[in-house]
Amino acid sequence: MDWPALREAVANCQACGLCEKRKNTVFGTGSVQADWFIVGEAPGENEDLQGEPFVGAAGQLLDNMLRAVGRSRSGEGTQGVFISNVLKCRPPANRNPQPAEVAQCAPYLARQVALVQPKLIIAMGRFAVQSVLQTNEPIGKLRGQVHRYQGVPVIVTYHPAYLLRTPSDKAKAWADLCLAMETANTPLRR
Ligand code: URA
């Protein structure tokens, strides 16, 4: 599937029950030529309304984290990111994604990664990490190592919504971003 076909497939998807209550699918955003690919969990209420990922408070923190490493969702190439989620539709009342929903939606993420061909993937939060790495290990055990997905290096970190609730872990998230920069071999611009 090319980009237009993939967009259309997501927009019309009825593979799981989440299609019944959604206002919009949330395909993803950013540059399709970005060399970093960010994977979040699932759209929340604002994302469902706007059809865009990470537009709420967690999104603001994500934008700040990206700015700290010289990137933004409007940047291109080495200054850009593509941002997507494991699930393209909002789970009702923001409940956790169910395994069957993740399994149905996973091929869309896989195809997005194959089309972007990023140099680095950052998986944010338990559901993104466990889905991308096919593991049940907790984030604390997986951080600090370079994993692989479709041959692309994967860095594991906390979800921005978790960091808003637990600011004491922001230092660890910064360490994860530093590992990401080291891994992608892009120097920090000061
Ligand atoms: N949390 C996510 O994981 N993704 C979004 O798009 C918004 C909030």
Side-chain angles (χ1 to χ4, degrees):
M1 263 194 272
D2 61 7
W3 280 114
L6 185 59
R7 276 186 182 279
E8 173 130 354
V10 169
N12 297 322
C13 185
Q14 301 194 342
C16 78
L18 297 183
C19 66
E20 283 159 27
K21 297 253 164 71
R22 74 182 174 218
K23 304 259 188 318
N24 288 291
T25 55
V26 179
F27 182 77
T29 194
S31 166
V32 296
Q33 277 155 12
D35 61 3
W36 282 23
F37 194 118
I38 310 287
V39 183
E41 178 178 321
E45 185 179 15
N46 292 316
E47 290 78 17
D48 176 58
L49 287 172
Q50 296 183 39
E52 285 279 319
F54 282 104
V55 292
Q60 275 180 21
L61 178 57
L62 174 59
D63 286 340
N64 289 340
M65 291 164 75
L66 293 173
R67 198 171 311 121
V69 294
R71 289 176 184 265
S72 73
R73 54 178 93 199
S74 57
E76 291 288 333
T78 57
Q79 288 165 24
V81 285
F82 191 83
I83 303 173
S84 192
N85 286 307
V86 169
L87 294 189
K88 309 302 190 227
C89 297
R90 181 190 182 203
N94 299 343
R95 66 155 169 72
N96 289 338
Q98 292 173 353
E101 294 159 356
V102 172
Q104 291 288 354
C105 221
Y108 295 136
L109 181 68
R111 189 63 194 145
Q112 288 178 317
V113 170
L115 288 168
V116 173
Q117 295 190 285
K119 289 209 186 96
L120 185 87
I121 295 168
I122 302 184
M124 297 188 136
R126 179 161 67 98
F127 285 97
V129 167
Q130 293 185 343
S131 163
V132 166
L133 299 182
Q134 292 290 291
T135 176
N136 287 320
E137 294 279 348
I139 291 185
K141 274 206 158 178
L142 298 165
R143 285 184 54 247
Q145 305 160 48
V146 181
H147 306 269
R148 297 253 159 198
Y149 175 76
Q150 292 184 12
V152 181
V154 177
I155 302 296
V156 161
T157 195
Y158 297 106
H159 194 283
Y162 166 82
L163 294 173
L164 288 173
R165 296 191 301 271
T166 321
S168 54
D169 273 345
K170 280 187 180 173
K172 290 186 191 163
W174 175 245
D176 298 335
L177 283 179
C178 290
L179 177 59
M181 285 187 287
E182 227 174 83
T183 305
N185 203 14
T186 44
L188 176 58
R189 293 178 311 134
R190 291 179 194 273

